[in-house]
Amino acid sequence: MRMQLKGLTRSFGDAVVLDGIDFDDEVTTLAIIGPSGGGKSTLLRILGGLLAPSAGRVLLDGEPVPTEEAARAPWRASLGFVFQDGGLFHHLSAHENIALPLRAVHGMDAEAADARADELLERFGLAGEGGKRPAQLSGGQRQRVAIARAVAPRPRMLLLDEPTSALDPEYTTEVLDLLRDLKNEGTRFITVTHEMGFARHACDKVAFLTGGKLAEYGPSEQVFTAPATPELRRFLGKLLEWSV
């Protein structure tokens, strides 16, 4: 998917969160990294049509991301979203969390939606867990259900906003392994992440945002082994200081 950002700016009051970002490249699996407050989640929400830019344009495969609310709903339906807390409906079972959006948003009949939910629960190692509500599942299981729900309608791309930030290390590994498998199957995704190992080894490209600007971008291995900017060198140095 070709992603183009042209003078992308987003402000909240007097605070400029994204400051005139320009970008143009093919994106298959992209990790967005950087310090807190650098604009990572804001950029992801603009790409997904959850938030309109203050100025500038965003295009995916030449199609502008709509800025009018009425046009943003079908745009959002073409993408898959996974958030930090999974965003599951707590009163619904795991199976129904996957099947309901297929019926209500994507117009799938009940039998096909149920079959798709069962297929994904099996595929993601959740066979036998479909009748449980989110509170009855582990953190890793909840995020796997959230990812299953996101991929169920076969979206053009997944957008993931720190999907492992609330998980213990064991569950983090479960989710990252699943995302790696999806990548190997050809799923395209853009993820905001603090998991540097995942960004380096499972994502083709990395974008480093800091202070609302795109400070560095390139192939993952190159970005991590030879960071070109002092900002990225400092950022990676802080992360590695307390590494095992």
Side-chain angles (χ1 to χ4, degrees):
M1 175 178 289
R2 189 160 200 88
M3 186 169 82
Q4 296 169 286
L5 311 178
K6 301 181 177 182
L8 181 63
T9 300
R10 175 68 204 200
S11 300
F12 295 94
D14 294 331
V16 179
V17 179
L18 296 174
D19 190 7
I21 294 177
D22 293 308
F23 177 92
D24 188 346
D25 199 9
E26 290 288 333
V27 171
T28 52
T29 53
L30 171 66
I32 303 174
I33 66 172
S36 298
K40 305 183 299 298
S41 294
T42 299
L43 173 57
L44 200 71
R45 289 175 178 271
I46 290 174
L47 292 173
L50 297 170
L51 190 66
S54 301
R57 300 181 71 205
V58 180
L59 300 94
L60 296 181
D61 284 339
E63 182 181 358
V65 177
T67 55
E68 298 296 325
E69 178 56 36
R72 295 212 306 261
W75 178 271
R76 291 192 290 263
S78 74
L79 301 166
F81 296 89
V82 181
F83 300 103
Q84 294 181 25
D85 63 355
L88 298 177
F89 296 110
H90 296 291
H91 64 292
L92 298 179
S93 67
H95 179 281
E96 194 64 3
N97 262 284
I98 301 169
L100 177 61
L102 293 176
R103 300 193 305 267
V105 178
H106 301 282
M108 191 177 290
D109 66 66
E111 184 177 353
D114 286 341
R116 179 66 170 155
D118 288 338
E119 171 198 343
L120 289 169
L121 288 168
E122 174 76 28
R123 177 183 170 194
F124 290 176
L126 295 164
E129 309 293 341
K132 294 182 179 179
R133 294 185 179 186
Q136 297 171 297
L137 301 171
S138 71
Q141 288 174 326
R142 286 194 295 272
Q143 281 300 68
R144 280 185 278 156
V145 172
I147 294 169
R149 182 178 64 180
V151 302
R154 298 179 174 87
R156 65 163 77 181
M157 179 170 278
L158 290 182
L159 301 178
L160 305 109
D161 190 1
E162 298 191 27
T164 62
S165 65
L167 301 180
D168 292 336
E170 177 186 358
Y171 300 139
T172 293
T173 299
E174 288 182 11
V175 173
L176 296 181
D177 285 346
L178 174 57
L179 292 176
R180 181 193 57 203
D181 292 344
L182 288 173
K183 177 202 172 181
N184 292 338
E185 294 169 6
T187 301
R188 299 183 296 187
F189 62 78
I190 299 173
T191 181
V192 170
T193 184
H194 289 299
E195 299 292 339
M196 295 300 106
F198 180 76
R200 179 171 184 171
H201 299 296
C203 298
D204 296 326
K205 301 286 183 66
V206 171
F208 173 62
L209 265 64
T210 183
K213 294 184 179 294
L214 179 59
E216 197 158 340
Y217 170 77
S220 302
E221 191 63 23
Q222 173 185 313
V223 167
F224 279 98
T225 57
T229 61
E231 292 85 359
L232 181 54
R233 288 195 290 271
R234 282 196 299 270
F235 176 74
L236 294 177
K238 288 179 180 179
L239 292 181
L240 294 174
E241 181 179 357
W242 297 101
S243 296
V244 175

